[in-house]
Amino acid sequence: MILLGLTGSIGMGKSTVAAMMRRAGIPVFDADAAVHALQAPGGRLLPEIEAAFPGTTGPRGIDRAALGKAVFDNREALRRLEAIVHPAVYAMRRDFVRRHRARPLVVDDVPLLFEKGGRRRMDAAIVVSAPAWMQRRRVLARPGMTQARLAQILRLQMPDREKRRRADFVIDTGTSRAETRQQVMTLLACLRARGIRYCRSCAKSSSTPKPPA
């Protein structure tokens, strides 16, 4: 089994690429979906989160506006929240990988793959990227998003240029959906055929040049 870390900054198209991989038959663990499940009505983290941040939960699960306000621009509060959430997500990820260990490729969709040290658990890292102007346009089109909120999110994320530098492969979503899908299919085919060894055909679909291994 090859474990691939899939990451990318907000608005870069990571969810689109993950969906393409699922449709290609690749098991994809979605860390964000895991967090939502843990914080949904009946989610097992609700009591602990409520104890740490009173008034942020209710019959509908997490009150995202209230929790966001509690941790917004407050690194200590964010660290406390992460100390609750991250171990639970890690356990779900471990179980997912074990269930699919007989598959040739498994993808771990992790927004903060590099920032939180998850890269060391992966065989290779795939970064999804797009031009900065496109990223901003996509994110600011989301309901409730503001310039201040986007700036705060970006401060918590590694710059895109550094993620691209650290990537083993880059998927460029600054193109058409069809072209992005072709990049994904080419990369998956290469990995199935050659493993992690870098292949020149993948280099052509990557916007980050890398020398052959």
Side-chain angles (χ1 to χ4, degrees):
M1 180 193 73
I2 296 173
L3 182 58
L4 302 166
L6 178 68
T7 194
S9 299
I10 185 172
M12 290 301 194
K14 181 175 60 62
S15 296
T16 296
V17 170
M20 291 175 177
M21 291 178 167
R22 285 193 186 90
R23 286 195 291 272
I26 306 298
V28 178
F29 178 79
D30 186 335
D32 279 344
V35 171
H36 283 287
L38 291 165
Q39 298 178 351
R44 66 184 182 85
L45 292 187
L46 292 181
E48 195 172 354
I49 292 175
E50 178 63 27
F53 304 96
T56 61
T57 71
R60 297 184 178 181
I62 286 290
D63 181 334
R64 301 197 179 281
L67 186 60
K69 185 177 181 180
V71 302
F72 180 78
D73 226 11
N74 185 332
R75 290 187 178 274
E76 177 55 35
L78 183 61
R79 280 194 290 269
R80 282 189 285 129
L81 178 61
E82 289 175 342
I84 296 170
V85 175
H86 287 181
V89 174
Y90 177 80
M92 293 176 70
R93 175 183 292 115
R94 180 193 59 214
D95 292 343
F96 181 90
V97 172
R98 285 176 177 171
R99 288 198 307 273
H100 296 285
R101 61 182 177 272
R103 303 290 291 274
L105 301 176
V106 175
V107 171
D108 191 354
D109 179 348
V110 190
L112 300 178
L113 180 69
F114 295 117
E115 292 88 339
K116 299 302 179 181
R119 171 62 182 90
R120 63 179 177 270
R121 298 192 300 269
M122 309 299 162
D123 295 310
I126 303 170
V127 168
V128 181
S129 183
W133 65 267
M134 185 176 290
Q135 176 193 29
R136 295 186 67 83
R137 186 179 70 181
R138 290 170 176 172
V139 177
L140 292 174
R142 298 180 182 182
M145 183 59 67
T146 64
Q147 295 276 2
R149 176 63 177 156
L150 174 57
Q152 192 266 346
I153 292 171
L154 291 177
R155 283 199 298 272
L156 296 174
Q157 296 185 341
M158 182 181 292
D160 178 60
R161 64 181 178 276
E162 179 61 17
K163 288 183 179 179
R164 290 161 64 100
R165 188 186 70 80
R166 297 189 185 195
D168 296 289
F169 305 100
V170 175
I171 299 294
D172 178 12
T173 66
T175 59
S176 69
R177 186 176 291 262
E179 289 173 304
T180 296
R181 185 179 183 281
Q182 184 57 54
Q183 292 177 63
V184 172
M185 295 301 103
T186 298
L187 176 57
L188 294 178
C190 180
L191 289 170
R192 286 188 181 110
R194 308 187 186 192
I196 293 300
R197 289 181 305 155
Y198 193 78
C199 69
R200 291 184 182 274
S201 61
C202 290
K204 294 178 182 177
S205 69
S206 168
S207 51
T208 297
K210 300 175 76 67

